[in-house]
Amino acid sequence: MSVATTEEVLVLDFGGQYSQLIARRIRECGVFAELMPATTSVEKILSRDPKALVLSGGPASVHDPGAPSFPEELLGLHMPVLGICYGMQAMAKALGGRVEVAGKGEFGRTDLFVVGDGGTLLGGLPREQTCWMSHRDSVFEAPEGFSPIASTPGSPVAALEDRERGLYGIQFHPEVVHTPFGTEVLNRFLREVAGCVEQWSPASVVAEQIAAIREQVGDSKVICGLSGGVDSSVAAKLVHEAIGDKLTCVFVDHGLMRSNEGVEVVEAFKDFGVPLVAVDAEKRFLEKLAGVTDPEAKRKIIGSEFIRVFEEEALKLADVDYLVQGTLYSDVIESGGSDHAATIKSHHNVGGLPDDLEFELVEPLRMLFKDEVRAVGTELGLPDSMVWRQPFPGPGLGIRIIGGEVNRERLDILRAADAILQEEIRAGELYRELWQSFCVLPAIRSVGVQGDGRTYAYPIVIRAVTSEDAMTADWARLPYDLLERVSSRIINEVNGVNRVALDISSKPPATIEWE
Ligand code: XMP
């Protein structure tokens, strides 16, 4: 996929935990950035004609025997290079600087002192500032031709530059929010050193993608599976803008959706005038799930049944050549980088579409991060309720009924409880702050007392987490009064529930979902 800009910066990735974040921050500065493995060949890098390179951080020491390397000739091409953390050390070592283990290392907030005039990156900024560090090795002597422009207690050379050759290095992480002048430093590198002048934005992808989709699919028919989630909704809307009625969306309602969710998706897309096939497949799914208690078995059944239904609909449409997928840049990176052949990501993490259903993929969001996809969604006129929807697993409520079979009675109870939680969370204006908020129904009953009689009913567990990327998560500190309202409403309004509990576990060691 090309992008709506001629200016791009390549981030050579040494495996640092913040590498993706570097690319995101550069994009936030209005310059398109893409990650590439640090081992990418010089020819390949130059064929992209980047305005600059950034060498990322990484977990290794430059002295480790198998320390990740990069094509060092890149440093002699007068192409602007910014080394960050390990990237700076790798650059310093390659050019004859002295890099050594620095005592205890520096982790977290660290005081940074500007040296000399601070050079291009730090000149005019406060002479003392804080920055975020995470390193054991330090540069003790800058290579010839470089001037040190900052130091910290543990890093004699915490930043350096060689204006002549366009080489810059910073030991600290400008991409994390705990480095207050981080964005300023990145901006200076991008604008003053690399000379970038364009203003890239997620919205600028729209026009470009519409043209690219038209070119890719020509007069062919295209199908898109809508899941109700942000990614497939934005991808579908974008493709519809490009090719109109040649796109048909298929929405498989497996009966495991949240309250009203199916109806909302179908109504919204009908309003947009998108040809849409909505399949009510609840009965099929529930028949297959009867008696199944094992979570993995549930996932597999839901996944394969979904594919079966989708396949039947695709065959009915006849002559469909293309399948739209809402693949995101983070999926692309996780599967090994932008060059890797696309693998079909099922909505359900199991299997894929069968081999005899051969589609070429249309993946208009392949280059975008989640927050950028949201910006594109808004640009395309999708309603906030769709653009800001929290992630929802493909198997839906099927993996939120725990330790027992998934059946209609339990689904209805869970849906009703979940709707109350969502309503209160939205009313408290917490919906966007939370990564996910939902209810879980353990298939056990406990004793309660209501009116004059004893009850024997299900508990509902409230799960609400904050997270950046679902890899780690913390339990959300929901206000007590909100919890009280949710609890009493669920117990009073939902038949079959007599107890509400709150999950206060972080991930790890727990996971976000219960199954
Ligand atoms: P966990 O529970 O592993 O979840 O902390 C991380 C993220 O993935 C979602 N999730 C799933 N999504 N199919 C999906 O499409 C699944 O089987 C599945 N299991 C978990 C979960 O909602 C969270 O956002």
Side-chain angles (χ1 to χ4, degrees), residues 23 54 61 70 115 161 262 330 363 370 458 465 496 500:
V54 173
S61 159
F70 70 105
V115 170
E161 68 173 25
S330 38
E363 298 179 299
K370 187 92 178 179
Y458 292 115
V465 297
V500 171

mmCIF file of all heavy atoms in Angstrom, residues 23 54 61 70 115 161 262 330 363 370 458 465 496 500:
data_model
loop_
_atom_site.group_PDB
_atom_site.id
_atom_site.type_symbol
_atom_site.label_atom_id
_atom_site.label_comp_id
_atom_site.label_asym_id
_atom_site.label_seq_id
_atom_site.Cartn_x
_atom_site.Cartn_y
_atom_site.Cartn_z
ATOM 1 N N ALA A 23 7.075 4.964 15.806
ATOM 2 C CA ALA A 23 6.404 5.206 14.516
ATOM 3 C C ALA A 23 5.116 6.008 14.737
ATOM 4 O O ALA A 23 4.814 6.933 13.978
ATOM 5 C CB ALA A 23 6.101 3.882 13.826
ATOM 6 N N VAL A 54 15.327 6.185 11.558
ATOM 7 C CA VAL A 54 15.423 6.186 13.014
ATOM 8 C C VAL A 54 15.847 4.782 13.417
ATOM 9 O O VAL A 54 15.297 3.795 12.919
ATOM 10 C CB VAL A 54 14.066 6.549 13.658
ATOM 11 C CG1 VAL A 54 14.130 6.379 15.172
ATOM 12 C CG2 VAL A 54 13.682 7.984 13.315
ATOM 13 N N SER A 61 22.556 -5.791 24.523
ATOM 14 C CA SER A 61 23.720 -4.920 24.705
ATOM 15 C C SER A 61 24.511 -4.986 23.406
ATOM 16 O O SER A 61 24.595 -6.055 22.785
ATOM 17 C CB SER A 61 24.582 -5.451 25.857
ATOM 18 O OG SER A 61 25.908 -4.947 25.728
ATOM 19 N N PHE A 70 22.812 -3.664 11.989
ATOM 20 C CA PHE A 70 22.114 -3.007 10.886
ATOM 21 C C PHE A 70 23.166 -2.674 9.839
ATOM 22 O O PHE A 70 24.364 -2.702 10.134
ATOM 23 C CB PHE A 70 21.390 -1.751 11.392
ATOM 24 C CG PHE A 70 22.333 -0.636 11.783
ATOM 25 C CD1 PHE A 70 22.508 0.489 10.988
ATOM 26 C CD2 PHE A 70 23.088 -0.737 12.957
ATOM 27 C CE1 PHE A 70 23.366 1.501 11.345
ATOM 28 C CE2 PHE A 70 23.973 0.280 13.322
ATOM 29 C CZ PHE A 70 24.112 1.401 12.517
ATOM 30 N N VAL A 115 24.196 19.923 27.337
ATOM 31 C CA VAL A 115 25.635 20.222 27.284
ATOM 32 C C VAL A 115 25.887 21.201 26.130
ATOM 33 O O VAL A 115 25.285 21.061 25.052
ATOM 34 C CB VAL A 115 26.441 18.913 27.049
ATOM 35 C CG1 VAL A 115 27.899 19.221 26.756
ATOM 36 C CG2 VAL A 115 26.300 17.974 28.243
ATOM 37 N N GLU A 161 25.485 14.655 18.410
ATOM 38 C CA GLU A 161 25.131 14.967 17.025
ATOM 39 C C GLU A 161 26.371 15.217 16.191
ATOM 40 O O GLU A 161 27.410 15.644 16.696
ATOM 41 C CB GLU A 161 24.204 16.190 16.963
ATOM 42 C CG GLU A 161 24.877 17.490 17.365
ATOM 43 C CD GLU A 161 23.975 18.710 17.129
ATOM 44 O OE1 GLU A 161 22.752 18.554 17.117
ATOM 45 O OE2 GLU A 161 24.524 19.809 16.966
ATOM 46 N N GLY A 262 -26.299 -6.076 16.911
ATOM 47 C CA GLY A 262 -26.568 -6.501 15.539
ATOM 48 C C GLY A 262 -27.437 -5.485 14.827
ATOM 49 O O GLY A 262 -27.126 -5.027 13.725
ATOM 50 N N SER A 330 -0.726 -2.982 13.344
ATOM 51 C CA SER A 330 -0.187 -3.802 14.435
ATOM 52 C C SER A 330 -0.294 -5.293 14.105
ATOM 53 O O SER A 330 0.583 -6.071 14.469
ATOM 54 C CB SER A 330 -0.882 -3.478 15.748
ATOM 55 O OG SER A 330 -2.239 -3.249 15.527
ATOM 56 N N GLU A 363 -7.112 -4.786 1.877
ATOM 57 C CA GLU A 363 -6.826 -4.430 3.279
ATOM 58 C C GLU A 363 -6.467 -2.950 3.387
ATOM 59 O O GLU A 363 -5.314 -2.588 3.527
ATOM 60 C CB GLU A 363 -5.664 -5.284 3.801
ATOM 61 C CG GLU A 363 -5.963 -6.766 3.797
ATOM 62 C CD GLU A 363 -4.794 -7.589 4.295
ATOM 63 O OE1 GLU A 363 -3.721 -7.533 3.676
ATOM 64 O OE2 GLU A 363 -4.956 -8.274 5.321
ATOM 65 N N LYS A 370 -4.569 1.646 15.380
ATOM 66 C CA LYS A 370 -5.983 1.690 15.793
ATOM 67 C C LYS A 370 -6.525 3.122 15.940
ATOM 68 O O LYS A 370 -7.611 3.432 15.456
ATOM 69 C CB LYS A 370 -6.104 0.965 17.139
ATOM 70 C CG LYS A 370 -7.511 0.784 17.619
ATOM 71 C CD LYS A 370 -8.033 -0.536 17.148
ATOM 72 C CE LYS A 370 -9.422 -0.818 17.629
ATOM 73 N NZ LYS A 370 -9.862 -2.128 17.098
ATOM 74 N N TYR A 458 -27.825 -16.714 39.500
ATOM 75 C CA TYR A 458 -26.452 -16.522 39.002
ATOM 76 C C TYR A 458 -25.808 -15.276 39.583
ATOM 77 O O TYR A 458 -26.498 -14.285 39.836
ATOM 78 C CB TYR A 458 -26.459 -16.350 37.487
ATOM 79 C CG TYR A 458 -26.841 -17.582 36.725
ATOM 80 C CD1 TYR A 458 -28.009 -17.606 35.966
ATOM 81 C CD2 TYR A 458 -26.036 -18.718 36.744
ATOM 82 C CE1 TYR A 458 -28.376 -18.733 35.244
ATOM 83 C CE2 TYR A 458 -26.399 -19.852 36.029
ATOM 84 C CZ TYR A 458 -27.562 -19.851 35.284
ATOM 85 O OH TYR A 458 -27.910 -20.953 34.580
ATOM 86 N N VAL A 465 -11.339 -2.756 32.405
ATOM 87 C CA VAL A 465 -9.882 -2.596 32.423
ATOM 88 C C VAL A 465 -9.439 -1.381 31.625
ATOM 89 O O VAL A 465 -10.096 -0.949 30.678
ATOM 90 C CB VAL A 465 -9.159 -3.843 31.848
ATOM 91 C CG1 VAL A 465 -9.426 -5.078 32.701
ATOM 92 C CG2 VAL A 465 -9.523 -4.105 30.402
ATOM 93 N N GLY A 496 -32.956 -13.612 37.599
ATOM 94 C CA GLY A 496 -31.986 -14.712 37.518
ATOM 95 C C GLY A 496 -30.626 -14.337 38.050
ATOM 96 O O GLY A 496 -29.692 -15.140 37.993
ATOM 97 N N VAL A 500 -23.624 -9.430 42.540
ATOM 98 C CA VAL A 500 -22.715 -8.810 41.567
ATOM 99 C C VAL A 500 -21.331 -8.722 42.205
ATOM 100 O O VAL A 500 -21.194 -8.282 43.351
ATOM 101 C CB VAL A 500 -23.193 -7.402 41.147
ATOM 102 C CG1 VAL A 500 -22.139 -6.683 40.314
ATOM 103 C CG2 VAL A 500 -24.486 -7.501 40.351
#
